[in-house]
């Protein structure tokens, strides 16, 4: 995976916002990657850190539509995340809110912005998420997204 180097967690000097920025390059074309990001049957194949499963993923892929995922960690009780789709521009752009339904005190709703670009044979996927309340929460999401992107790469490599 090609993770952007340098200052991936950027702070907005005016607001003090903590924002996660990651990117990866995938072998599949943008249309296929967008489908993997937006169809329940495809999302459950790659979403979440290693060892996590997604036994349920509901999506209403319309502006203002909602989604809800049930995630199960390797050792533990299932938990949920949900949100609202803010922008949908297939196959180039997807923006949605991200909310843990069983939050810790340091959780807050964030916004995930996914941009896709053609690399000729594949896709460059760029993620921005934030603002986070603490560095700890940002790092938790960095780990989750990094491992999710590794799993997504395996799925998309099979399509190429």
């Amino acid at each position: 995976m090609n993770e952007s180097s340098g200052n991936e967690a950027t702070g907005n000097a005016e607001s003090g916002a903590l924002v996660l920025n990651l990117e990866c390059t995938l072998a599949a074309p943008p249309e296929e990657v967008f489908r993997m990001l937006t169809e329940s049957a495809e999302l459950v194949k790659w979403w979440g850190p290693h060892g996590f499963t997604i036994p349920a993923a509901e999506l209403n892929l319309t502006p203002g539509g909602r989604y809800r995922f049930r995630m199960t960690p390797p050792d533990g009780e299932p938990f949920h995340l949900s949100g609202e789709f803010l922008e949908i521009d297939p196959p180039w752009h997807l923006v949605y809110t991200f909310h843990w339904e069983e939050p810790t005190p340091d959780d807050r709703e964030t916004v995930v912005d996914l941009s896709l670009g053609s690399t000729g044979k594949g896709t460059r996927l760029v993620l921005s998420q934030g603002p986070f309340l603490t560095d700890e929460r940002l790092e938790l999401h960095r780990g989750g997204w990094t491992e999710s992107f590794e799993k997504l790469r395996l799925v998309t490599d099979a399509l190429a």
Side-chain angles (χ1 to χ4, degrees):
M1 175 175 358
N2 295 337
E3 219 176 288
S4 59
S5 58
N7 191 9
E8 294 169 6
T10 59
N12 181 321
E14 292 177 16
S15 67
L18 294 170
V19 177
L20 172 63
N21 294 295
L22 294 175
E23 67 179 69
C24 68
T25 302
L26 303 163
E31 295 78 10
E32 287 297 317
V33 174
F34 194 84
R35 190 173 65 79
M36 302 304 271
L37 297 172
T38 58
E39 292 183 10
S40 296
E42 302 302 329
L43 269 164
V44 300
K45 296 176 183 177
W46 64 270
W47 183 276
H50 297 299
F52 282 66
T53 59
I54 308 298
E58 302 166 12
L59 291 93
N60 177 6
L61 191 66
T62 58
R66 307 237 0 125
Y67 72 90
R68 185 172 193 253
F69 301 162
R70 181 174 41 164
M71 297 179 67
T72 304
D75 318 327
E77 294 297 314
F79 56 94
H80 301 86
L81 65 108
S82 62
E84 177 183 343
F85 291 104
L86 304 176
E87 294 178 41
I88 304 165
D89 181 18
W92 309 112
H93 199 209
L94 183 64
V95 181
Y96 54 90
T97 61
F98 187 110
H99 172 77
W100 294 112
E101 291 185 6
E102 297 91 358
T104 69
D106 288 341
D107 279 328
R108 67 160 61 154
E109 183 174 270
T110 58
V111 174
V112 173
D113 187 317
L114 295 165
S115 296
L116 293 79
S118 179
T119 64
K121 292 183 179 180
T123 302
R124 179 174 176 245
L125 177 60
V126 178
L127 169 128
S128 175
Q129 183 181 7
F132 292 96
L133 189 58
T134 66
D135 285 321
E136 177 184 89
R137 298 313 290 174
L138 184 145
E139 291 305 321
L140 176 80
H141 283 257
R142 180 193 315 279
W145 278 112
T146 298
E147 291 184 18
S148 291
F149 281 179
E150 289 169 1
K151 291 165 61 177
L152 179 60
R153 171 173 275 169
L154 291 175
V155 173
T156 57
D157 281 356
L159 299 173

